[in-house]
Amino acid sequence: HKRVAILISGGGSNMVSLVDSMVGDHPARPCLVLSNDAEAGGLKKAAARGIPTAAVDHRPFKGDRAAFEAELLKPLEQAQPDIICLAGFMRVLTGDFVSRFQGRMLNIHPSLLPKFKGLNTHARAIEAGETEHGCSVHEVTAALDDGPILGQARIRIEAGDSAESLAAKVLIWEHKLYPAVLRRYANGDRTPVLLP
Ligand code: GAR
């Protein structure tokens, strides 16, 4: 099996969808769930599923990304992942860190990339008058929310939608898209997954 490390910062619902998909004939298995916050709700969910967990708090590093990443590397090097999935991991990684895992690190982003890189994607999609929205999984490169797109799920924005309602609708599709992309990717297939 391919070994998959999952990086999270919060509740970890995408991490759970990935972990729960890696069963049976799936070509990968989870080897580590790693967070920049020891209080992240997702760590307990991972531990309950029998997955090794680790946390490296970014705050003591006071913006020294290289020093933070040096600590983040320790549990990762121990876990020896073949693939790294960023799943609601809310720290920006340096080009140096990313280049170590070039071609084997994925991210899920709550917009139809290349639209709305960065934060507050749902509010910005409404503000821009978009009629469509969704989520993307892409390969991570040094540029933020950039890199080859490996899958997208599209939804319509309805008249009454708010940032909150859109976030909830998109999240449902994130939970379908990310496992579908990971399965393909772990099989060596980079053909984009297009949903629905
Ligand atoms: C997800 O919506 C994910 O796409 C987003 O954070 C949420 C995490 O939820 N990621 C980003 O905004 C990355 N910049 P989760 O912890 O329940 O998976």
Side-chain angles (χ1 to χ4, degrees):
H1 287 121
K2 295 272 169 60
R3 297 169 63 80
V4 178
I6 306 172
L7 272 60
I8 64 168
S9 296
S13 70
N14 276 290
M15 176 276 295
V16 168
S17 77
L18 290 173
V19 165
D20 290 353
S21 75
M22 285 184 262
V23 293
D25 69 351
H26 198 288
R29 291 291 185 271
C31 64
L32 175 70
V33 172
L34 176 57
S35 177
N36 63 299
D37 179 357
E39 303 301 313
L43 288 175
K44 284 200 178 104
K45 295 175 194 166
R49 286 166 169 77
I51 302 159
T53 64
V56 178
D57 188 341
H58 64 280
R59 287 167 296 192
F61 297 96
K62 299 189 199 292
D64 183 347
R65 289 187 198 278
F68 166 60
E69 289 173 354
E71 287 306 306
L72 209 54
L73 268 180
K74 290 178 184 173
L76 274 177
E77 278 172 349
Q78 248 188 347
Q80 291 284 316
D82 300 298
I83 298 170
I84 296 178
C85 291
L86 307 182
F89 184 69
M90 303 306 280
R91 307 305 301 169
V92 174
L93 296 167
T94 66
D96 215 47
F97 186 91
V98 168
S99 68
R100 285 174 182 271
F101 302 105
Q102 196 72 55
R104 51 198 180 105
M105 181 152 49
L106 311 183
N107 180 45
I108 188 156
H109 183 76
S111 78
L112 292 174
L113 291 172
K115 288 184 172 171
F116 311 117
K117 298 176 181 182
L119 299 176
N120 305 317
T121 57
H122 309 298
R124 286 159 62 208
I126 292 173
E127 180 62 27
E130 297 287 332
T131 57
E132 269 196 318
H133 187 45
C135 50
S136 307
V137 175
H138 64 96
E139 221 170 82
V140 177
T141 60
L144 183 71
D145 298 331
D146 208 79
I149 290 174
L150 298 168
Q152 288 188 316
R154 320 179 86 85
I155 63 164
R156 292 206 65 75
I157 297 183
E158 313 284 350
D161 269 321
S162 62
E164 291 70 31
S165 72
L166 273 187
K169 287 183 198 176
V170 169
L171 192 61
I172 289 168
W173 284 100
E174 292 187 44
H175 297 161
K176 300 183 207 284
L177 181 67
Y178 212 171
V181 171
L182 177 61
R183 177 183 278 267
R184 249 187 216 190
Y185 196 78
N187 274 319
D189 180 356
R190 293 171 189 212
T191 321
V193 175
L194 300 176
L195 298 179

